[in-house]
Amino acid sequence: MPRSDFTENVVELIRDIPRGQVCTYGRIAALAGNPRAARQVARILHTLSESEQLPWHRVVNRDGGISLPPSHGYEEQRQYLEREGVQLSTDGRIDLNHHLWQPDFT
DNA sequence: CTCGTGACTCCCG
DNA sequence: TCGGGAGCCACGA
């Protein structure tokens, strides 16, 4: 069950993203321990999003945009987000200054 | 062990 | 502002 620590952390981090907020691939990778493993986060989402029931739609690229190509999840992700109250600009981008999730250290 | 593969980023021109 | 190229990295075959 436990995969690598990195993967494990990524999964947990994504699970912790609250409704109405998003996080970037790079951010998650950094928090998980490898600032440069952003691509790995994408792979993890692709392979574990379902089995681990991850809120994959809350993960976007550093521009606040959806990385999935049209008819390959883009529309779906967009709907999930809007349904959670995340507003998308006309360019289809999210205002990260308002929706970016920042884990708090308590 | 080596090689190919990304739902990414960063760096330039 | 935008596009192309190179870097990076865990994972499955």
Side-chain angles (χ1 to χ4, degrees):
Chain A
M1 22 149 299
R3 297 90 189 164
S4 68
D5 288 335
F6 176 75
T7 299
E8 193 74 14
N9 291 331
V10 170
V11 170
E12 223 172 300
L13 284 166
I14 296 177
R15 278 229 187 87
D16 291 337
I17 302 176
R19 267 179 64 97
Q21 296 199 264
V22 301
C23 197
T24 67
Y25 298 90
R27 207 58 92 107
I28 292 174
L31 293 170
N34 295 54
R36 306 177 179 170
R39 312 189 68 167
Q40 194 52 33
V41 174
R43 175 185 281 283
I44 291 172
L45 283 176
H46 195 276
T47 60
L48 306 177
S49 60
E50 210 165 335
S51 61
E52 297 295 331
Q53 300 187 312
L54 302 176
W56 59 272
H57 55 279
R58 299 184 189 144
V59 183
V60 298
N61 62 40
R62 81 185 260 3
D63 297 316
I66 294 175
S67 291
L68 289 90
S71 23
H72 263 288
Y74 179 90
E75 294 300 338
E76 191 183 354
Q77 177 166 17
R78 178 164 183 159
Q79 271 186 44
Y80 273 118
L81 291 173
E82 297 183 322
R83 193 169 131 193
E84 295 187 354
V86 177
Q87 316 235 337
L88 298 177
S89 68
T90 51
D91 318 359
R93 280 185 284 140
I94 299 169
D95 178 7
L96 293 180
N97 287 307
H98 186 258
H99 290 288
L100 181 62
W101 173 61
Q102 331 246 90
D104 51 305
F105 306 79
T106 52

